[in-house]
Amino acid sequence: MDLSNMSSADLRNLQEQVKRELKQRESQDLAKAREQILAIAQSVGVPLKDLVGSGAVRAKTGSVAPRYRNPADATQLWTGRGRQPKWVKDWLEAGKDIAGLKV
């Protein structure tokens, strides 16, 4: 197929046809892979749900203990994660070491 002789409209049409065909083939490949996996699981007697698990990924919850405290105001704490609070920036800009803020 010589694409150089095709018009822009024909090329766009061909592009859309290729996109549709790729989408259909990807769907068929996925269905085929699922069937193969299910057949393998059944042949060894393993339930499919044991292979794939629940599918839910649980994020870690809980808080992180603060690592730094503002010496001028003991209620201001920072875990060391995320953006530095202004009091930490001020401390560092004054040329002091962050170790001086350790809890």
Side-chain angles (χ1 to χ4, degrees):
M1 176 181 279
D2 186 12
L3 300 178
S4 62
N5 293 330
M6 294 179 74
S7 69
S8 295
D10 289 340
L11 286 171
R12 284 188 197 96
N13 185 28
L14 180 62
Q15 182 181 22
E16 288 303 315
Q17 289 176 6
V18 168
K19 284 181 183 179
R20 282 193 299 271
E21 184 64 27
L22 282 171
K23 195 175 222 180
Q24 183 180 0
R25 289 194 187 185
E26 288 171 357
S27 178
Q28 289 172 346
D29 290 345
L30 186 59
K32 185 177 177 182
R34 283 186 180 130
E35 289 173 10
Q36 291 174 345
I37 291 169
L38 183 58
I40 293 169
Q42 288 175 342
S43 71
V44 296
V46 175
L48 189 58
K49 66 178 180 173
D50 289 351
L51 289 177
V52 294
S54 66
V57 177
R58 230 177 101 210
K60 290 184 179 180
T61 58
S63 60
V64 178
R67 294 176 32 193
Y68 304 100
R69 173 170 294 156
N70 184 350
D73 182 357
T75 63
Q76 293 180 329
L77 302 170
W78 181 48
T79 62
R81 295 184 180 183
R83 292 177 43 176
Q84 290 178 339
K86 183 171 180 351
W87 57 268
V88 173
K89 287 181 185 177
D90 293 344
W91 179 270
L92 295 173
E93 287 173 1
K96 299 176 184 174
D97 187 20
I98 197 162
L101 298 175
K102 287 265 185 187
V103 173

